Amino acid sequence: MKEQFKQEIKTVIEATQAKGDIESIYLVACGGSHAFLQPAEYVLSKETTIPTTVLPSREFITREPKALGEHSLVVSCSHSGTTPETVAATKYAREQGALTVAFAFADESPLEKEAEYTIHYAWGPETDASDLNTGVLYGWLFAYLNVVNPSDKYDRALKALDVLNDVTTKTREQYTPIIAKWASELKREPIVYSVASGINAGQAYSFAICWLQEMQWVNSAYIHSGEYFHGPFEITDFDVPFIMCEGLGKARAMDERAVDFAKKHSDKVYVIDNKDFDMSLIDEDLQDYYSQIVSGVVYRLIAESFAYERGHSLDVRRYMWKLEY
Amino acid sequence: MKEQFKQEIKTVIEATQAKGDIESIYLVACGGSHAFLQPAEYVLSKETTIPTTVLPSREFITREPKALGEHSLVVSCSHSGTTPETVAATKYAREQGALTVAFAFADESPLEKEAEYTIHYAWGPETDASDLNTGVLYGWLFAYLNVVNPSDKYDRALKALDVLNDVTTKTREQYTPIIAKWASELKREPIVYSVASGINAGQAYSFAICWLQEMQWVNSAYIHSGEYFHGPFEITDFDVPFIMCEGLGKARAMDERAVDFAKKHSDKVYVIDNKDFDMSLIDEDLQDYYSQIVSGVVYRLIAESFAYERGHSLDVRRYMWKLEY
């Protein structure tokens, strides 16, 4: 990880320690950045007793959570640093006395002005995985956990960032031909469902709302693997396509059950099985936490191949950045 | 509200007081019951500093939240009291030392056996609204808030249950002809999106996954009004149908913004505007909390009219209760 990002994380951790007891954490963003923060809620709820809530930015502001105050840490994210709702949410949180930390790609953005501290990340195809948004998020997350409850586990989790790029590069190579076939088969589908649970929920959500709805204008919905059996599974039929994620760890059995059912009743079930990832460079007890970053590589590949097969660039928008809204 | 339900709520409140400090609340259920509990999370986050988390039952079990323990209150719900994941989640919570309270329609169910306490509710078309699941939930919710932080507001919120049936009956009459027209217009749509935020989120979610996907086999997705602009809105086109809810209170401006945009770019936007509800019998500062129950009446009407127009009974299933899964 770049020295700048490491230094920014260090400054935030020191500020958090100086702040004293953190009694509540809010993770606040919109769309893809909201999805990006969701795995941090998952990890924090498993590793600490500090209550953590993840909310869309304007839901956070209009909700006015009573627990928000001087003992709160509010982590927000906007890639461009300009998302008005997230800038407003960060301002609002700071006014309530919370420690505000923003993640952003852009420098000197409106978000950076409102947040007490900003942690930047890098972007682009040649970027080392540890410098991308998810890598830097984990760099903060495990450093923070290491001060809440110092542990060898979090040291190892931080060290895993050094090999993350090897893991994601290998996955990209492994999945490129597989995904090309999936995309070719799926290219004329008017709707594709996205199913996952546990730490992969955020990736599956962003696949549905960003990659498919926003960037391909393809109908989609994110379905939680456990919720699938309590309503959504009735939509399953031989010709209804599902892209489903099977995670590692304890959520896996829940994902497998959904995959097994869907495969029996639909001819169009595509499974991102995290057990197929080569994660041998990462310690086994950390593989669940890191798996969603690797799943994200596969979801991105699907989107890219889909865009190619459909001749619909991922950069085309009809409303976003084009109209007042 | 029936004496039995009042007594069950009283017993739960006394047990909660006897338990001492509640440091975390988990609301745990599947599908429609999961949606049903979501407004309680909204209210609790606004009215108390006790951290409240709502999770699908098996996500809760596999997540193993670190804050779950002897100072936790776990509220679960299953209409039939047989939902295996919710029964297991309640058992798991009780093993961790949490106070477990179940909501159920059925008597003497497996859920009732696992939960320390059960609060029942009534069901069926002739049932007074205060005896239905949402009425009894609010009966517990405001009684609980009244012991956490005694207030005239919660007394008034409990008294509002006495007039709830008048409000919902009037709404049903008011909306029946309107919704018949909506359903006739929408009956051949292969996909209908469901948009809301704030306290209406649970109703809009259950409309998408239960009423449409499960009971009508119509494709759908719940979209948060705030998230709409960060991905999903790109799917909007002149022929894409949206059923959107405009709430009361502070979330309203967020909903309005989504409705205004959608109406500009789609010819098929149907709005459940909560300002059109006659809620004059309920104090103004409580109308936001009660609005979702009234929205639920309208969502149910849409489902019933849709079922009629499509000749597809709400009772038909192809998988649920019919197959092993």
Side-chain angles (χ1 to χ4, degrees):
Chain A
M1 191 187 293
K2 283 185 182 168
E3 203 46 51
Q4 178 202 337
F5 305 158
K6 279 187 185 167
Q7 194 54 51
E8 288 172 346
I9 290 170
K10 190 162 172 274
T11 303
V12 165
I13 299 295
E14 284 166 2
T16 311
Q17 287 181 291
K19 177 89 174 170
D21 278 356
I22 296 295
E23 293 171 5
S24 60
I25 301 174
Y26 294 92
L27 309 173
V28 175
C30 296
S33 294
H34 177 216
F36 154 74
L37 289 173
Q38 290 177 25
E41 188 267 335
Y42 176 91
V43 174
L44 286 162
S45 73
K46 286 182 70 66
E47 298 289 333
T48 81
T49 57
I50 307 169
T52 306
T53 307
V54 56
L55 286 171
S57 301
R58 201 165 172 191
E59 178 76 31
F60 171 74
I61 301 170
T62 57
R63 179 82 70 97
E64 298 178 334
K66 195 169 181 178
L68 175 67
E70 289 183 7
H71 297 288
S72 301
L73 168 64
V74 176
V75 177
S76 57
C77 177
S78 162
H79 187 74
S80 65
T82 60
T83 311
E85 301 97 311
T86 306
V87 175
T90 303
K91 182 171 188 283
Y92 167 68
R94 195 166 173 181
E95 283 163 2
Q96 307 308 309
L99 179 68
T100 50
V101 175
F103 282 84
F105 165 65
D107 275 324
E108 296 177 18
S109 66
L111 180 62
E112 188 159 350
K113 280 194 196 96
E114 296 299 345
E116 225 167 328
Y117 299 95
T118 298
I119 299 173
H120 294 87
Y121 55 81
W123 202 244
E126 299 305 312
T127 309
D128 187 274
S130 69
D131 293 321
L132 289 169
N133 56 353
T134 47
V136 177
L137 177 71
Y138 276 32
W140 162 74
L141 180 61
F142 292 114
Y144 176 59
L145 287 170
N146 223 358
V147 301
V148 172
N149 179 23
S151 157
D152 155 69
K153 182 179 175 183
Y154 306 135
D155 288 333
R156 291 185 290 107
L158 289 168
K159 281 205 189 98
L161 288 168
D162 297 338
V163 299
L164 184 58
N165 201 61
D166 294 335
V167 175
T168 57
T169 304
K170 190 163 185 182
T171 304
R172 204 173 159 87
E173 283 164 11
Q174 177 193 349
Y175 275 86
T176 297
I178 298 167
I179 298 305
K181 190 166 176 293
W182 291 14
S184 169
E185 290 171 10
L186 284 166
K187 66 184 164 192
R188 289 193 235 289
E189 297 296 344
I191 183 159
V192 177
Y193 282 107
S194 175
V195 183
S197 75
I199 193 131
N200 284 304
Q203 292 288 355
Y205 174 71
S206 90
F207 181 69
I209 72 155
C210 299
W211 294 118
L212 291 184
Q213 291 183 317
E214 175 185 333
M215 303 189 203
Q216 288 296 298
W217 308 348
V218 167
N219 293 295
S220 188
Y222 158 64
I223 300 168
H224 183 277
S225 304
E227 291 287 270
Y228 176 63
F229 292 98
H230 300 277
F233 79 150
E234 283 284 336
I235 206 77
T236 312
D237 208 338
F238 71 95
D239 59 349
V240 179
F242 291 88
I243 294 180
M244 307 177 90
C245 199
E246 282 188 4
L248 304 171
K250 300 215 170 178
R252 182 173 179 82
M254 174 164 50
D255 297 330
E256 277 178 337
R257 184 176 168 230
V259 167
D260 289 349
F261 184 91
K263 277 189 167 171
K264 257 187 220 157
H265 302 279
S266 164
D267 299 335
K268 298 179 179 174
V269 177
Y270 296 83
V271 181
I272 303 170
D273 187 343
N274 293 3
K275 278 220 167 147
D276 293 340
F277 297 162
D278 181 355
M279 296 187 68
S280 54
L281 291 172
I282 296 172
D283 294 344
E284 207 173 327
D285 63 336
L286 300 167
Q287 290 181 3
D288 181 37
Y289 291 163
Y290 270 94
S291 60
Q292 66 96 7
I293 300 181
V294 190
S295 297
V297 171
V298 180
Y299 281 118
R300 169 179 280 275
L301 264 179
I302 300 173
E304 288 169 355
S305 299
F306 217 48
Y308 172 78
E309 289 286 345
R310 302 178 73 246
H312 182 121
S313 162
L314 293 171
D315 298 325
V316 172
R317 300 289 186 281
R318 39 186 167 187
Y319 309 122
M320 195 177 272
W321 317 310
K322 296 197 152 180
L323 301 178
E324 290 280 327
Y325 49 84
Chain B
M1 191 186 293
K2 284 185 182 166
E3 205 44 53
Q4 179 201 337
F5 305 158
K6 279 188 184 167
Q7 195 52 53
E8 286 172 349
I9 289 170
K10 191 163 172 272
T11 303
V12 165
I13 298 295
E14 283 166 3
T16 311
Q17 287 182 290
K19 178 90 172 170
D21 279 357
I22 297 295
E23 293 171 4
S24 60
I25 300 174
Y26 294 91
L27 308 174
V28 174
C30 297
S33 294
H34 176 217
F36 154 75
L37 290 173
Q38 289 176 26
E41 188 268 333
Y42 175 89
V43 175
L44 286 162
S45 74
K46 285 183 71 66
E47 298 288 334
T48 81
T49 58
I50 307 170
T52 305
T53 307
V54 56
L55 286 171
S57 301
R58 202 166 172 189
E59 178 75 33
F60 171 73
I61 301 170
T62 56
R63 179 83 70 97
E64 298 176 334
K66 196 170 179 177
L68 174 66
E70 289 184 6
H71 297 287
S72 301
L73 168 63
V74 176
V75 176
S76 57
C77 177
S78 162
H79 187 74
S80 65
T82 59
T83 311
E85 300 95 313
T86 306
V87 175
T90 304
K91 183 172 188 282
Y92 167 69
R94 196 165 172 181
E95 284 164 0
Q96 308 307 309
L99 180 67
T100 49
V101 175
F103 281 84
F105 165 66
D107 276 324
E108 296 177 16
S109 66
L111 179 61
E112 189 160 349
K113 281 196 196 95
E114 296 299 344
E116 225 167 329
Y117 299 95
T118 299
I119 298 172
H120 294 87
Y121 56 81
W123 202 243
E126 298 306 313
T127 309
D128 187 274
S130 69
D131 293 322
L132 288 170
N133 56 353
T134 46
V136 177
L137 177 71
Y138 276 32
W140 161 75
L141 180 62
F142 292 113
Y144 176 59
L145 287 170
N146 223 358
V147 301
V148 171
N149 179 23
S151 158
D152 156 67
K153 181 178 176 185
Y154 306 135
D155 288 334
R156 291 185 291 106
L158 289 169
K159 280 203 191 98
L161 288 168
D162 297 337
V163 299
L164 184 59
N165 200 62
D166 294 335
V167 176
T168 57
T169 303
K170 191 164 184 181
T171 305
R172 201 172 162 89
E173 283 164 11
Q174 178 193 348
Y175 276 86
T176 297
I178 299 167
I179 297 306
K181 190 165 175 295
W182 292 14
S184 168
E185 290 172 11
L186 283 165
K187 67 185 166 193
R188 291 193 234 290
E189 297 296 343
I191 184 160
V192 177
Y193 283 107
S194 175
V195 183
S197 74
I199 193 131
N200 284 304
Q203 292 288 354
Y205 174 70
S206 89
F207 181 69
I209 72 155
C210 298
W211 294 118
L212 291 184
Q213 290 182 319
E214 175 186 332
M215 301 190 205
Q216 289 296 299
W217 307 348
V218 167
N219 293 296
S220 188
Y222 158 65
I223 299 168
H224 183 277
S225 306
E227 291 287 90
Y228 175 64
F229 292 98
H230 299 278
F233 80 151
E234 283 284 337
I235 206 77
T236 312
D237 209 338
F238 71 95
D239 60 349
V240 179
F242 291 87
I243 293 181
M244 308 178 90
C245 200
E246 281 188 6
L248 304 171
K250 302 215 169 177
R252 182 172 179 83
M254 174 164 53
D255 297 330
E256 277 178 338
R257 184 176 169 231
V259 166
D260 289 349
F261 184 91
K263 277 187 168 173
K264 257 187 222 157
H265 302 279
S266 163
D267 300 333
K268 298 180 180 174
V269 177
Y270 296 84
V271 182
I272 303 170
D273 186 343
N274 293 3
K275 278 221 169 145
D276 293 340
F277 297 161
D278 180 354
M279 295 186 70
S280 54
L281 292 172
I282 295 172
D283 293 346
E284 207 174 327
D285 63 336
L286 300 167
Q287 290 182 1
D288 181 38
Y289 290 164
Y290 271 94
S291 61
Q292 66 95 9
I293 300 182
V294 190
S295 298
V297 170
V298 181
Y299 281 119
R300 169 181 279 274
L301 265 180
I302 301 173
E304 288 169 354
S305 299
F306 216 49
Y308 172 79
E309 289 287 344
R310 302 177 75 245
H312 182 121
S313 162
L314 294 170
D315 297 326
V316 172
R317 300 289 185 282
R318 40 186 165 187
Y319 310 122
M320 195 177 272
W321 316 311
K322 295 196 151 181
L323 300 177
E324 291 280 327
Y325 49 85

